Amino acid sequence: MKTSLRIAAGLLASASFATIAHAGEVAGSVHDASGVRPLQSASVRIVELNRSAETDRGGNFIFGDVPAGTYTVEARYVGAEVTTQSLTVPATGRIASDFNLPAIGGGDILVTGQTANLTSALSRQKAADGVVSVLTRDAVGQFPDQNVAESLRRLPGINILNDQGEGRFVAVRGLDPNLNSTSLNGVRIPAPESDVRQVALDVVSSDTIESVEVKKSFTPDMDGDFIGASVEIKTTSAFDSKKNRYSLNAEGSWNDYSGKVTPKGAFDFTQKLGENFGIAGSVSYYKRKFETDNVEAADWTEDDNGNAYAETLEYRDYDVERTRINAALSFDWRVSDTTKAYVRGNWAQFDDHEYRRRTTFDFSDFGEASGATGSTVRFDTADLDDGDKLTIERDHKDRFERQRIRSVAIGSDTDTGTWKFNWQGSYAKSTEKETFSLDPSRYTAEFENDSGVAIDVNNGNKFFPAYSVANGAASVNDASNYGFDRLELTTLSDSQDEEWAAKADLARTFAGDNGDFTVQGGVKARWRKKSYDFNMSRFDGYDGDYTLADVLGKQTYRLLDMGPVASKRGPADFYLANEGGFEYNDVDSLIDSSTSDYSVREDILAGYLLGRWDSATLRVIGGVRVERTYNKLNGNLVAVSENDDGDSVVDVSGVGYERNYTNWLPSLTLRWSPQSNLVARAAGYKTVVRPKLADLAPRYSINEDGEAEFGNPYLKPYQAWNFDAGFDYYFTNNGAISFGGFYKSIKDYTYSAFSSEEGTFNGVDYTELRTPVNGDTATVAGLEASFSQVFSMLPSPFDGLLTQLNYTYTYARGTVLDDDGVARRISLPSSSKNTFNVVLGYEKGPVSLRAAGTFRDKYLDEVGGAPDQDRIVNQHFQLDLSAKYKLTENVRLFADWVNVNNAKFYAYQDFAGSKRLLQYEEYGSTVKFGAKVTF
């Protein structure tokens, strides 16, 4: 045992700190023609030996165990001239082979500008083992996008789910965002939100990153916790350029709805401290104020006369202020010719302050509409039975939420040509917190059959029903008629998700006559804990006179006149000034505060072994990964009953579970390049996605009517067999065309199930139950195609044109049970059948112009209890424009116009033969303008 430990320690030490060159090594670097910017993913080949390698992010490569002799070394990069060198390798020692590649037709390949960025992205895609889509730093900054999620929507097969008009979650190949994983500098990022696994990428500013890689296929050295894609974000390194660089960005942002200009600024730098040590960092600040006009409807019904209407109709006026602060700092140390060490830290803060004024009509007491004229239905209180009423609520939300993501990683990468050893230790923590949010403060008026009030609702509008007051307008619009009804005060909403991780990889390469064979293995351990603590104070009355008139404000709603509304700060100020007058509901407060709390521990221990064959034409990677998962789950059982006096009694008891399971994840990847401009790939592999931690949490609530909602600690992980195949053809000039297909068979996917069967849990009876359960098998299949081209072959001035096009077709179907227990086939949630992106650009001299259009088809957002209750999000097309002007060598001016066509959000259900509104939003467009200075 001691001998084995000494041998292992010796291997690790030699791999990490080796400085003695092996006999017959060829090492070097590849840069652009200026020699300043390293070219990542350039292909370097020793022609006579048919051995090839790709450069790392520093532009470096190395071949070990090269027999003595004279060889031709060839370097290729998309958009660059093929360059060769002849060199003689000695019997012992290392010989250098450095390349500075000119662009086709001459010139530098600096990684700035649209054309150069396309070159960088295509080169990384070409060199990749599997199916990868790439955005590099300039691409992220080049698009008129507010965050990383917005930038990713330009890639093939990517669908972005929006919130308040901003991209938040990334859906890949039509799959739910929960089926993706996200890492930052190799660190898995936990989710700030309490109920999901996926990370909302609007927290991450595009100003702090160097590149984003969306890996859609799996090899054993990757974490196996994705089915859609692994989204890998990388920040800048000091060795990304030979020169020190400082960059300052100043920007203003104007939203045509809010009419306000808000600031954005960013600063980033790279600074070398000697030849072998460097620092890179960035900081950015962005404040955005905007407004949203929203209409929502629920509980659609059809009366005996065939009139369809929503029993609940809401008009919402949002005023939102979002502030993003991001910082990144990395230290890079070139320990030796073969080893680089690093420390990388990132910090992001996202503040979301939302004011919402809402007017709600409750028509549920009407058994049917009073009458109808065309598409307009009337609700006349004169037709109500005694005791029934038309209820109109006017409420106000004042919510401040802060999310933070922080991560730090330390590690080193060693490559001696024959041995590779990499290790990393990391810590990441994400939080989301509220400490004082009024959500909502509600004021209510009830109009009975003697009130003389009648409301007309026109369902003939294209997107949303519009109301008008047919009779009794003075009463409906009198703020003093709306007495205080309820205040729900969130005193604490604290979601915390943190993960420690450590990993190590060791590889040995054996040189062959026509290529290299590598044996590689590694281990990784992850220790994760997620918890949620929610405290709510509910007040159902006020000791005194308190009406909407006491906090009256002014609406900014554009769709129609929604009547009197509260001011932004009025309800909060009134509560703080009169806190003692509010009547506390201890029962409902205890229920609200106990049902959501949970904590989950998730420990994952993984190991893998793979073999890799590399030649100039063929790459084969095969192996297996094993991941063992341990969960410790804690939650509450909240049971509500009535005592003999008819009062509600709340019983809260803790519940805990433990479980573990093991997944074996084999994979085989083939990359074949019969000629330098053609790459074909095929891959088959198995991956898993663990259930949402919030679904696993043993949270059980049973109300006094016997209605139960349970978590499910026995949920199985999603398990998917995946197959990918496709090819890329790279044009002689800067461009490429790609075609690919994919197929996924997903077992044990999760959906929410309803049961009307009575049961008992921990001695408490219930009459109906809703809980997450595992489904059977879902099938996902599709096609991806993309085309990119710089038209430099055209005569001037058309030689500055460029275009990028991509299209994805996705078929995604699964089986669920309706509320009545009948099985039916559905499209998987978040799955758009058709998506495409079009980018048209022009770049010549100091001028750079770009138009970017994005389309996604409709998709199923939520599964209802029956087909006519499913929530569907309508198709979406958005147009963005960008213009830049190079004022001097170091100063660039820019202007972006986001959402030029004022694209709307529209969700509906197919009910009674028509699309019936569930949610409609419009946001207006945003114009950004500013300057970027580099020195």
Side-chain angles (χ1 to χ4, degrees):
M1 181 64 179
K2 291 182 178 180
T3 302
S4 299
L5 290 174
R6 284 196 296 269
I7 293 174
L11 287 174
L12 296 182
S14 64
S16 294
F17 305 107
T19 57
I20 301 174
H22 295 284
E25 289 183 354
V26 177
S29 62
V30 181
H31 288 75
D32 67 344
S34 71
V36 174
R37 294 298 298 262
L39 299 181
Q40 181 178 346
S41 298
S43 176
V44 183
R45 181 168 73 105
I46 302 177
V47 177
E48 290 78 6
L49 298 179
N50 200 31
R51 295 177 62 185
S52 64
E54 276 78 39
T55 55
D56 61 17
R57 68 181 296 176
N60 302 304
F61 67 91
I62 185 171
F63 293 95
D65 289 342
V66 180
T70 300
Y71 300 99
T72 302
V73 181
E74 174 187 270
R76 292 178 177 268
Y77 189 80
V78 174
E81 298 280 4
V82 179
T83 305
T84 61
Q85 293 181 3
S86 179
L87 54 82
T88 300
V89 179
T92 60
R94 172 179 294 184
I95 187 168
S97 179
D98 297 322
F99 294 86
N100 292 337
L101 303 185
I104 293 174
D108 300 344
I109 313 177
L110 291 171
V111 190
T112 55
Q114 299 181 62
T115 302
N117 165 254
L118 179 61
T119 296
S120 174
L122 290 178
S123 294
R124 299 190 196 189
Q125 174 184 312
K126 182 180 181 182
D129 296 332
V131 182
V132 176
S133 297
V134 183
L135 283 168
T136 59
R137 180 179 178 86
D138 276 5
V140 173
Q142 194 76 36
F143 288 117
D145 300 326
Q146 297 145 9
N147 53 63
V148 174
E150 294 275 356
S151 301
L152 287 173
R153 75 163 76 238
R154 315 298 176 185
L155 297 178
I158 304 295
N159 178 23
I160 302 301
L161 307 187
N162 289 346
D163 173 56
Q164 300 279 17
E166 290 187 336
R168 300 205 74 208
F169 297 107
V170 178
V172 180
R173 290 175 166 177
L175 296 173
D176 190 285
N178 275 296
L179 303 184
N180 301 325
S181 62
T182 304
S183 64
L184 183 61
N185 292 324
V187 181
R188 274 288 185 262
I189 300 300
E193 288 90 346
S194 64
D195 57 344
V196 296
R197 280 188 180 269
Q198 78 268 29
V199 178
L201 292 181
D202 60 343
V203 177
V204 182
S205 169
S206 58
D207 297 293
T208 64
I209 66 176
E210 187 275 332
S211 66
V212 183
E213 295 184 1
V214 181
K215 295 185 176 180
K216 303 174 186 176
S217 61
F218 167 76
T219 53
D221 54 331
M222 301 169 60
D223 288 315
D225 56 353
F226 69 91
I227 296 175
S230 175
V231 180
E232 302 184 4
I233 305 170
K234 298 178 182 178
T235 57
T236 55
S237 164
F239 298 131
D240 287 342
S241 174
K242 283 188 174 181
K243 290 185 177 181
N244 298 328
R245 178 185 53 79
Y246 295 83
S247 179
L248 183 65
N249 189 82
E251 180 181 316
S253 177
W254 177 83
N255 176 255
D256 69 340
Y257 270 25
S258 68
K260 297 176 181 177
V261 176
T262 51
K264 179 180 180 182
F267 173 73
D268 63 271
F269 71 94
T270 60
Q271 176 68 53
K272 289 186 176 62
L273 306 175
E275 287 296 319
N276 298 316
F277 191 82
I279 304 175
S282 62
V283 61
S284 69
Y285 173 89
Y286 181 27
K287 176 176 284 189
R288 181 170 182 248
K289 293 182 179 180
F290 61 97
E291 297 177 6
T292 300
D293 293 337
N294 168 292
V295 184
E296 300 194 15
D299 303 320
W300 282 90
T301 187
E302 186 176 19
D303 65 20
D304 293 339
N305 298 316
N307 298 313
Y309 61 90
E311 291 187 347
T312 304
L313 188 57
E314 303 178 0
Y315 299 90
R316 303 183 178 196
D317 181 16
Y318 289 92
D319 293 88
V320 183
E321 179 179 304
R322 289 178 173 173
T323 303
R324 296 177 173 89
I325 305 174
N326 289 262
L329 188 64
S330 67
F331 301 89
D332 293 273
W333 178 30
R334 189 177 286 115
V335 181
S336 69
D337 292 340
T338 59
T339 299
K340 297 176 183 176
Y342 58 85
V343 178
R344 298 193 175 105
N346 293 272
W347 183 88
Q349 179 173 294
F350 173 52
D351 291 344
D352 186 3
H353 196 172
E354 177 181 295
Y355 296 103
R356 184 202 68 202
R357 279 77 69 86
R358 177 171 61 179
T359 297
T360 302
F361 293 89
D362 182 355
F363 302 115
S364 59
D365 279 2
F366 288 86
E368 60 182 11
S370 300
T373 304
S375 59
T376 300
V377 293
R378 172 166 293 188
F379 299 93
D380 193 333
T381 56
D383 298 326
L384 288 170
D385 294 332
D386 291 340
D388 290 339
K389 53 193 175 295
L390 163 66
T391 302
I392 302 178
E393 298 172 352
R394 302 186 186 273
D395 65 33
H396 173 77
K397 179 165 86 170
D398 178 358
R399 187 211 66 198
F400 178 82
E401 176 183 275
R402 170 167 289 172
Q403 293 184 358
R404 281 180 175 164
I405 297 177
R406 51 284 234 190
S407 68
V408 62
I410 180 172
S412 71
D413 301 317
T414 296
D415 187 353
T416 69
T418 53
W419 286 95
K420 289 185 180 179
F421 176 65
N422 308 312
W423 69 272
Q424 183 182 82
S426 65
Y427 172 75
K429 184 175 183 178
S430 297
T431 60
E432 180 183 79
K433 196 169 187 178
E434 299 176 39
T435 55
F436 183 85
S437 293
L438 280 68
D439 189 7
S441 179
R442 190 168 72 192
Y443 312 87
T444 301
E446 297 178 346
F447 300 95
E448 299 183 346
N449 54 17
D450 59 352
S451 64
V453 171
I455 305 295
D456 286 344
V457 178
N458 181 4
N459 291 312
N461 288 348
K462 181 178 179 180
F463 290 114
F464 60 89
Y467 89 92
S468 59
V469 183
N471 295 308
S475 297
V476 171
N477 293 321
D478 185 350
S480 64
N481 285 337
Y482 294 84
F484 172 75
D485 180 44
R486 175 183 294 178
L487 169 62
E488 296 179 13
L489 178 65
T490 300
T491 55
L492 179 66
S493 175
D494 186 8
S495 171
Q496 304 210 18
D497 196 350
E498 63 180 343
E499 178 173 302
W500 294 85
K503 69 172 184 176
D505 306 274
L506 181 63
R508 175 65 163 92
T509 299
F510 302 90
D513 293 336
N514 294 298
D516 296 338
F517 180 72
T518 301
V519 178
Q520 180 175 323
V523 294
K524 183 173 184 179
R526 299 164 61 186
W527 302 274
R528 183 176 185 177
K529 183 177 180 180
K530 189 177 184 77
S531 63
Y532 184 53
D533 186 9
F534 181 75
N535 292 323
M536 164 79 77
S537 294
R538 181 175 293 198
F539 303 91
D540 288 342
Y542 180 74
D543 185 13
D545 293 328
Y546 177 27
T547 69
L548 180 61
D550 295 311
V551 291
L552 193 62
K554 182 180 180 181
Q555 62 176 278
T556 57
Y557 203 63
R558 293 163 185 79
L559 302 180
L560 47 75
D561 183 354
M562 60 188 295
V565 297
S567 64
K568 290 182 179 179
R569 286 292 306 169
D573 291 342
F574 188 94
Y575 170 78
L576 293 172
N578 302 278
E579 187 173 351
F582 285 83
E583 298 171 358
Y584 181 70
N585 186 322
D586 56 345
V587 173
D588 287 348
S589 297
L590 178 59
I591 295 172
D592 292 338
S593 300
S594 303
T595 53
S596 300
D597 295 352
Y598 75 91
S599 67
V600 173
R601 174 182 161 189
E602 182 174 83
D603 298 340
I604 302 170
L605 179 62
Y608 74 91
L609 183 66
L610 66 81
R612 177 188 180 108
W613 169 259
D614 263 304
S615 71
T617 58
L618 180 64
R619 182 180 303 163
V620 181
I621 305 172
V624 65
R625 183 181 187 91
V626 59
E627 297 188 347
R628 181 165 180 81
T629 305
Y630 166 78
N631 288 130
K632 185 175 183 180
L633 314 165
N634 293 289
N636 290 327
L637 167 61
V638 180
V640 183
S641 59
E642 287 189 359
N643 60 20
D644 295 338
D645 296 328
D647 297 326
S648 296
V649 177
V650 182
D651 180 63
V652 180
S653 56
V655 183
Y657 292 86
E658 292 187 44
R659 69 176 206 165
N660 57 73
Y661 53 91
T662 301
N663 297 106
W664 292 85
L665 309 176
S667 75
L668 178 65
T669 300
L670 305 176
R671 180 188 182 276
W672 182 51
S673 181
Q675 57 192 57
S676 61
N677 59 352
L678 179 64
V679 177
R681 292 181 177 87
Y685 50 95
K686 185 180 182 182
T687 53
V688 298
V689 169
R690 296 165 184 87
K692 294 180 185 179
L693 296 177
D695 286 345
L696 282 174
R699 298 185 290 183
Y700 306 93
S701 65
I702 304 174
N703 65 23
E704 56 193 7
D705 296 323
E707 299 168 340
E709 291 189 16
F710 290 178
N712 187 351
Y714 299 107
L715 278 176
K716 300 176 183 178
Y718 292 64
Q719 302 182 69
W721 281 102
N722 311 265
F723 303 93
D724 293 277
F727 72 89
D728 308 327
Y729 181 82
Y730 296 86
F731 304 131
T732 303
N733 289 317
N734 196 344
I737 187 169
S738 302
F739 291 97
F742 55 90
Y743 174 84
K744 300 175 183 291
S745 178
I746 305 173
K747 180 183 178 182
D748 294 328
Y749 60 89
T750 301
Y751 71 97
S752 179
F754 174 83
S755 173
S756 57
E757 184 176 342
E758 297 181 356
T760 302
F761 180 80
N762 276 16
V764 181
D765 296 330
Y766 59 85
T767 58
E768 61 182 52
L769 170 65
R770 185 168 293 277
T771 186
V773 298
N774 288 115
D776 188 12
T777 301
T779 300
V780 179
L783 300 171
E784 292 178 334
S786 65
F787 170 80
S788 304
Q789 180 66 67
V790 177
F791 295 100
S792 56
M793 76 293 290
L794 297 179
S796 181
F798 304 106
D799 54 346
L801 292 170
L802 62 89
T803 188
Q804 294 173 268
L805 312 171
N806 62 69
Y807 167 78
T808 301
Y809 170 83
T810 301
Y811 171 89
R813 305 286 287 178
T815 301
V816 298
L817 297 178
D818 284 344
D819 285 355
D820 57 6
V822 176
R824 64 181 173 104
R825 297 284 287 174
I826 62 165
S827 295
L828 296 186
S830 306
S831 170
S832 292
K833 183 175 289 187
N834 300 285
T835 60
F836 70 79
N837 301 294
V838 179
V839 174
L840 300 176
Y842 183 83
E843 191 168 62
K844 190 174 179 66
V847 176
S848 178
L849 305 173
R850 184 186 297 261
T854 302
F855 172 84
R856 59 145 182 79
D857 215 341
K858 67 180 181 180
Y859 64 86
L860 176 65
D861 189 34
E862 295 177 5
V863 180
D868 62 358
Q869 297 174 17
D870 290 344
R871 177 186 170 95
I872 301 168
V873 174
N874 201 34
Q875 64 186 33
H876 179 94
F877 175 77
Q878 179 173 316
L879 176 65
D880 303 322
L881 301 177
S882 174
K884 292 178 173 62
Y885 183 80
K886 187 177 179 181
L887 191 63
T888 69
E889 191 63 32
N890 304 103
V891 179
R892 289 173 172 82
L893 306 179
F894 62 87
D896 301 327
W897 188 2
V898 184
N899 195 18
V900 174
N901 57 323
N902 190 17
K904 285 84 171 171
F905 178 90
Y906 178 55
Y908 64 92
Q909 66 185 83
D910 286 315
F911 179 81
S914 297
K915 294 180 180 179
R916 306 297 180 177
L917 169 83
L918 293 177
Q919 182 178 350
Y920 172 81
E921 290 181 350
E922 58 180 63
Y923 327 95
S925 57
T926 298
V927 175
K928 302 191 291 183
F929 50 90
K932 188 178 185 69
V933 181
T934 304
F935 49 93

